[in-house]
Amino acid sequence: MSRAGAVGGIVLRSVGVFVPVFLVGTFVTFALQGASGLSPAHLQLGESATPEAVAALEHEWGLDRPFLVQYGDWFTGVLSGDLGASWYNGVDIADGLASRAVVSLSAAGLALVIGIVGGLALGTLAALRPRTLLDRAITAWTTLISTMPPFVVGIALVAVFSVGLGWLPSAGFVPFERSPQLWLAHLLLPALALSVDTVADVARQLRAGLVSAYRQDYVLGAVVRGLGPQRIFFRHVLRNALGPALAMLALKFPNLIGGAVVTEAVFGLAGLGAFAADSAQRGDVPAVQGVLVVSIVVVVLFNVLVNLALVRITPSSARGV
């Protein structure tokens, strides 16, 4: 199969997975509204509201219609980018989420970069020196950091680099377009806190893949043909060992998004996690639904990108293996 055909097949399979996942995800997300037993009357009228006032407000919001009719209207709006209005203040949810998504995706994206770079470096070092003191030290270190919750790491980083050394700010966010330097300074600690688990998993997965790849017959054949160690590593071993590590990233990215809920509270970031937590505490169901829909779309799109990267980088994926 050609590379273009493999990419086309990946896109078609991804669309085939995305559509049912999106349909089921949005349906379950909207069903939470009925399961919660909440309505805008809880937020706008208070506990002393009369049944007539509650019924009138729910009619205004269209909550007295059949469930499937409500879902159909809501889903149609989602397809056009309309996530509805907040029960709390009537603000358009899509507009409110836009700025919050920038914060969360900036932190998660930087954490992903740190996780990939750090994991590749540690995994490669361990694999090139198997069963040595360096290998054991890296294995022990990655095992240790994988057990540490992001909020604990975040508190420790703030204590050392913000309070103790004063090198980095402990809270806040500066848009990239205003100052790239300040953007990086404010996001570095939260991204480091979020990335520790990804660094550990990428390093361990890549080490195992590299050690296994070096034992394959094609490496021996490359040595017999007189290829140098660097060419063997980058052209043959690394490309074939990256597959499992890249596939694992597709599983880790949702954790980066989910871990932002606690991490954003530690670092005072007004992202999706803080928005979802505040909305849930207020009982603002449409706002929580909006966060879930955005998260579903982001995670599925990231999985599509990972699959495309696998086709591009890993020869076996391009052959459909």
Side-chain angles (χ1 to χ4, degrees):
M1 181 185 296
S2 67
R3 181 63 58 83
V7 171
I10 287 292
V11 172
L12 289 177
R13 288 198 297 270
S14 299
V15 171
V17 171
F18 173 81
V19 172
V21 167
F22 186 69
L23 288 174
V24 173
T26 53
F27 183 83
V28 172
T29 296
F30 188 79
L32 294 176
Q33 177 175 313
S36 69
L38 299 174
S39 79
H42 291 82
L43 296 177
Q44 300 181 22
L45 301 179
E47 298 295 335
S48 60
T50 63
E52 293 78 11
V54 172
L57 186 60
E58 291 185 347
H59 176 74
E60 180 183 344
W61 284 86
L63 299 179
D64 54 351
R65 296 174 300 164
F67 171 80
L68 290 180
V69 174
Q70 294 183 53
Y71 171 70
D73 290 344
W74 177 79
F75 183 75
T76 302
V78 167
L79 293 179
S80 62
D82 181 10
L83 299 177
S86 167
W87 285 352
Y88 178 68
N89 52 21
V91 173
D92 185 79
I93 294 173
D95 292 339
L97 285 179
S99 59
R100 304 296 189 109
V102 170
V103 177
S104 293
L105 292 179
S106 295
L110 184 57
L112 185 66
V113 171
I114 295 172
I116 293 173
V117 174
L120 289 178
L122 292 176
T124 301
L125 286 174
L128 293 178
R129 298 291 186 272
R131 295 179 298 278
T132 63
L133 181 60
L134 177 62
D135 181 22
R136 295 189 181 94
I138 291 175
T139 301
W141 173 248
T142 54
T143 301
L144 173 64
I145 63 175
S146 68
T147 64
M148 302 172 67
F151 75 92
V152 174
V153 178
I155 293 173
L157 291 174
V158 169
V160 175
F161 294 101
S162 296
V163 179
L165 300 175
W167 289 354
L168 294 168
S170 61
F173 176 79
V174 175
F176 182 84
E177 58 272 16
R178 183 186 303 175
S179 172
Q181 293 81 6
L182 291 178
W183 173 87
L184 180 61
H186 282 80
L187 284 180
L188 189 55
L189 293 184
L192 284 172
L194 281 172
S195 69
V196 290
D197 191 43
T198 304
V199 170
D201 285 347
V202 170
R204 289 182 294 192
Q205 191 70 57
L206 183 63
R207 180 203 176 277
L210 289 173
V211 171
S212 176
Y214 266 117
R215 296 171 179 168
Q216 302 302 313
D217 293 337
Y218 60 78
V219 174
L220 179 60
V223 173
V224 171
R225 293 198 305 272
L227 299 182
Q230 291 186 349
R231 186 174 181 182
I232 293 175
F233 176 77
F234 287 105
R235 189 169 182 84
H236 298 283
V237 175
L238 183 60
R239 292 185 65 187
N240 285 281
L242 274 177
L246 283 176
M248 185 273 302
L249 285 177
L251 302 177
K252 299 302 299 182
F253 190 69
N255 293 339
L256 294 177
I257 298 295
V261 176
V262 178
T263 307
E264 287 173 5
V266 173
F267 291 96
L269 296 176
L272 291 176
F275 183 82
D278 293 342
S279 300
Q281 290 177 353
R282 290 194 294 256
D284 192 354
V285 177
V288 177
Q289 291 172 336
V291 174
L292 293 175
V293 169
V294 170
S295 300
I296 291 170
V297 172
V298 169
V299 169
V300 172
L301 289 179
F302 181 78
N303 276 265
V304 173
L305 293 176
V306 168
N307 288 332
L308 293 175
L310 283 171
V311 172
R312 179 68 180 174
I313 296 173
T314 310
S316 58
S317 297
R319 296 191 298 268
V321 178

